[in-house]
Amino acid sequence: MTPRPHATHHATHHADPHAAVAHLTPENWDAAVRLLLRKALSEFSHERLLTPTPLGDGRYAVTSDDGRVEYRFTARLMALDHWQIDAAGITRLRDGAEAPLDALAFFTEFRGALGLSDEVLPVYLEEIGSTLASTAYKLAKEPVGADELAASDFQAIETGMTEGHPCFVANNGRLGFGVHEYLAYAPETASPVRLLWVAAHRDHTTFTCSADTDYATLLRAELGPGTLDRFASVMSGLGLDLADYLLIPVHPWQWWNKLAVTFSSEVAERRIVLLGEGEDEYLAQQSIRTFFNTGDPAKHYVKTALSVLNMGFMRGLSAAYMEATPAINDWLADLIAKDPVLRGTGLSVIRERAAVGYRHPGYEAATDRYSPYRKMLAALWRESPVPQLEEGQRLATMAALLHTDREGRSLAAALIERSGLTPEEWLGRYLDAYLTPLLHSFYAHDLVYMPHGENVILVLEGDAVARVVFKDIAEEIVVMNPDAKLPPKVERIRAEVPEEMRLLSILTDVFDCFLRHLGAILADRGVLTEDAFWRTVAEAVLRYQESVPELAERFERYDIFAEKFALSCLNRLQLRDNRQMVDLADPSGALQLVGDLRNPIAPFAPGRA
């Protein structure tokens, strides 16, 4: 018999059903709804889906599709058309009389303005409901102040975050998790997780790795001889030889909900054999399917396939896609090592050093390469950033810079205050570490990343940013130069991007989707005026440009100081198709561009400032 994993990871119908929803109280729900509506009004106005009417004295109103419902709010309009809205001041009027705030009703009231189809709307509402439930859970936790969190360690910050992606309104959908599974696997619940392991027959499984490791070395280091012996004895007890199989770590949810059911033929035929739990305990990261080893932080992160719908994609992992992952990571690490500008910023990447994936013959024959059925059983091992740390350094996810606590205090502001630096000095160091490598990768190598808050880890020293670490490399980087010489295994990362859209990789992903929010928070908290914030950004760009005069022609061709740039709308992508938001093979083809934004660093261009 195959050993049964711990009952704690089973569908725990024996758990107290009342305790599982203790966070769903009227008070927590009202607060969560208010926060979500603030974000919806702000981001949908930013993306020009809603057009607020000024009422005077900083008050605005938006009116529903049928004209019967009106939302009123106080807002400050900031750089990059950012709407800084006071959550406490939002009111809802129905036929002129005040009515309670209702997040789900909001999306049906504005379904026409938001372009929500009959097919997408109910699923989107489910994602909104789930996002609200996770906010309610966070509000039920013992509050941790921004000052305290700013002094905390890597994983305390990771699990202490109260907001997901700053642009997406439905950003914690996780459709597929029951409430007991949410409590077991969501990053904010900080529940220790043990991964399950399966043996997958080599005939259908592919393992690839970086040049500096191999299958046996990696698995011995990750599992240890005792666990490997235990797994081998499970196999021999079934009359099977572990040498005929490859080991794959599996998210417990994926075993119970997908592999044991959807892959039942493979389990019955013993092409997949459940071995049991590993010994190590992990914490889920903000990306939900990636795990940090808390027992031995120097060991690899493990990223697992997880067939839940979250923020525009089913979060599976493609076995085919995984094959090239280590080679792409080796290529990028080598490029950084050989480039003195990138090296000088202290940039490092945590490489995805090995990947393993199982190809189910039945589903492979029945589907195309984008199908979620091809993404149910795969995993990768990503380096931990912990061994790279020097004395006195600590880590924090960059997403934390946008965190504000229950009282509205900013974690970024707390770090600035603790550092003893002026806000401009602190921000300048951060930009040299974060923005400079992005600029140089673009201008020198036609290389772009997906550098949002969850994909960047800050290395803090004395509460200031010393350098950054980029992660999630193979799925997110793109080379836009059709003539760039790439090894055959790395060819996948080349993409055709129209000339006029190339710089959007920085202007949208960095300026609009991250710095817009950081600048607004710091200005709102009185730390740094908007003018000073964007001047500091411009100064960081100029420092970089002056350091590489040989790229002057590229700076002219792709002018980052241009007066305006196209507004690329993320929520519009999810509202249009919340199951497959973007075709990864043609990332620019899916973009929703709506008008222009005024470039906040344009006034500080050389000769204009």
Side-chain angles (χ1 to χ4, degrees):
M1 285 286 290
T2 311
R4 188 170 172 275
H6 287 186
T8 52
H9 293 315
H10 186 33
T12 48
H13 49 265
H14 301 301
D16 179 353
H18 297 288
V21 292
H23 55 290
L24 298 179
T25 64
E27 298 76 19
N28 289 342
W29 193 258
D30 288 349
V33 166
R34 203 164 272 284
L35 291 170
L36 185 125
L37 287 176
R38 174 179 71 179
K39 186 172 189 180
L41 290 165
S42 174
E43 290 305 303
F44 294 156
S45 299
H46 172 73
E47 295 192 11
R48 302 170 190 176
L49 289 156
L50 303 178
T51 308
T53 305
L55 303 174
D57 294 330
R59 295 284 290 167
Y60 293 86
V62 292
T63 306
S64 65
D65 295 341
D66 64 6
R68 294 182 60 194
V69 180
E70 186 179 74
Y71 287 79
R72 295 184 177 182
F73 53 92
T74 303
R76 179 179 167 200
L77 193 51
M78 305 178 80
L80 290 170
D81 286 5
H82 180 77
W83 292 77
Q84 189 74 7
I85 293 174
D86 172 26
I90 300 170
T91 55
R92 176 177 177 239
L93 303 174
R94 185 168 183 83
D95 297 326
E98 189 162 342
L101 297 182
D102 184 332
L104 299 191
F106 174 87
F107 292 95
T108 54
E109 290 160 355
F110 290 90
R111 64 185 298 178
L114 299 177
L116 281 160
S117 68
D118 291 349
E119 184 186 5
V120 170
L121 177 59
V123 184
Y124 190 79
L125 288 181
E126 197 178 352
E127 292 182 274
I128 290 293
S130 177
T131 298
L132 286 165
S134 75
T135 303
Y137 178 86
K138 294 165 195 168
L139 291 169
K141 289 167 74 174
E142 193 67 34
V144 180
D147 297 345
E148 186 184 339
L149 204 58
S152 299
D153 66 22
F154 187 28
Q155 291 307 296
I157 292 172
E158 189 79 26
T159 58
M161 300 281 300
T162 51
E163 178 57 276
H165 194 291
C167 299
F168 286 103
V169 176
N171 63 16
N172 276 333
R174 300 157 182 173
L175 298 192
F177 276 0
V179 66
H180 54 293
E181 294 159 330
Y182 168 82
L183 295 170
Y185 307 127
E188 60 267 23
T189 67
S191 302
V193 177
R194 290 192 180 193
L195 298 177
L196 294 172
W197 287 79
V198 300
H201 202 280
R202 287 176 181 265
D203 287 353
H204 304 283
T205 312
T206 306
F207 175 89
T208 51
C209 63
S210 297
D212 58 355
T213 191
D214 59 60
Y215 176 77
T217 303
L218 178 85
L219 269 298
R220 201 161 47 244
E222 286 294 301
L223 287 170
T227 302
L228 286 170
D229 287 347
R230 171 159 61 90
F231 290 170
S233 68
V234 171
M235 297 296 281
S236 59
L238 295 167
L240 303 170
D241 186 348
L242 188 57
D244 296 332
Y245 292 73
L246 292 169
L247 296 177
I248 306 181
V250 172
H251 194 296
W253 185 95
Q254 195 75 354
W255 169 258
W256 289 110
N257 294 276
K258 292 296 175 187
L259 302 184
V261 181
T262 312
F263 276 40
S264 53
S265 61
E266 308 309 279
V267 176
E269 301 287 346
R270 294 201 171 139
R271 287 187 287 272
I272 293 173
V273 181
L274 178 64
L275 300 169
E277 288 183 341
E279 298 294 326
D280 288 336
E281 289 199 333
Y282 293 86
L283 274 181
Q285 302 296 280
Q286 286 289 320
S287 58
I288 73 168
R289 58 182 167 159
T290 302
F291 291 94
F292 180 83
N293 193 317
T294 52
D296 187 348
K299 284 188 180 181
H300 290 77
Y301 285 98
V302 181
K303 186 173 183 177
T304 57
L306 183 63
S307 299
V308 301
L309 185 69
N310 196 50
M311 221 169 69
F313 290 102
M314 189 68 78
R315 297 289 162 173
L317 276 183
S318 160
Y321 222 64
M322 289 299 99
E323 282 185 40
T325 290
I328 292 168
N329 279 262
D330 280 355
W331 174 83
L332 181 60
D334 185 56
L335 183 145
I336 292 169
K338 288 176 176 171
D339 186 306
V341 176
L342 295 177
R343 267 205 329 274
T345 65
L347 172 70
S348 64
V349 292
I350 42 177
R351 289 178 304 153
E352 290 149 354
R353 294 184 71 222
V356 63
Y358 183 87
R359 296 185 182 221
H360 187 299
Y363 293 121
E364 291 269 328
T367 59
D368 68 20
R369 64 196 175 109
Y370 301 114
S371 170
Y373 286 94
R374 292 194 181 195
K375 300 176 182 178
M376 288 191 184
L377 184 51
L380 64 80
W381 288 268
R382 177 187 294 144
E383 290 172 316
S384 166
V386 172
Q388 298 179 4
L389 291 179
E390 294 170 14
E391 190 69 34
Q393 294 183 335
R394 63 193 176 96
L395 302 168
T397 176
M398 191 175 83
L401 296 185
L402 305 183
H403 174 74
T404 53
D405 68 16
R406 210 75 60 83
E407 308 303 317
R409 290 188 297 263
S410 155
L411 187 142
L415 286 172
I416 292 168
E417 192 176 330
R418 286 170 54 88
S419 73
L421 301 171
T422 67
E424 288 92 340
E425 286 170 336
W426 191 96
L427 185 61
R429 289 192 193 182
Y430 159 64
L431 292 166
D432 287 344
Y434 168 60
L435 181 57
T436 299
L438 296 172
L439 293 170
H440 189 66
S441 294
F442 175 83
Y443 284 112
H445 303 290
D446 281 296
L447 170 68
V448 297
Y449 307 80
M450 187 70 75
H452 57 68
E454 196 276 315
N455 271 356
V456 180
I457 298 170
L458 307 176
V459 178
L460 300 173
E461 200 172 275
D463 296 296
V465 180
R467 59 185 183 83
V468 303
V469 181
F470 288 169
K471 69 183 183 71
D472 219 358
I473 300 303
E475 283 194 275
E476 306 281 21
I477 65 170
V478 170
V479 169
M480 298 182 294
N481 180 358
D483 303 318
K485 289 184 169 55
L486 297 175
K489 285 184 180 175
V490 180
E491 190 60 41
R492 185 186 83 203
I493 66 171
R494 191 195 307 275
E496 280 191 41
V497 177
E499 184 86 358
E500 69 279 6
M501 290 169 70
R502 291 183 182 183
L503 196 52
L504 287 182
S505 63
I506 290 171
L507 293 171
T508 297
D509 294 351
V510 180
F511 283 27
D512 190 35
C513 292
F514 196 84
L515 296 182
R516 166 169 68 95
H517 299 275
L518 180 60
I521 289 168
L522 295 178
D524 196 56
R525 304 316 186 269
V527 177
L528 196 65
T529 65
E530 276 199 282
D531 200 54
F533 180 89
W534 290 108
R535 183 188 295 111
T536 306
V537 174
E539 287 167 355
V541 173
L542 287 169
R543 266 197 307 280
Y544 163 67
Q545 290 190 345
E546 287 161 7
S547 75
V548 279
E550 66 275 15
L551 294 175
E553 192 183 317
R554 297 273 296 169
F555 300 146
E556 200 172 321
R557 181 172 164 187
Y558 303 107
D559 181 13
I560 198 166
F561 288 100
E563 290 288 346
K564 52 190 185 177
F565 61 89
L567 168 61
S568 180
C569 301
L570 300 190
N571 281 286
R572 284 176 182 260
L573 296 174
Q574 191 179 13
L575 292 164
R576 181 183 62 185
D577 183 352
N578 53 349
R579 289 179 178 85
Q580 178 70 31
M581 206 164 59
V582 175
D583 177 357
L584 294 172
D586 180 21
S588 61
L591 294 184
Q592 293 268 309
L593 304 177
V594 182
D596 295 318
L597 290 171
R598 291 186 62 76
N599 186 348
I601 69 168
F604 308 108
R608 271 181 243 159

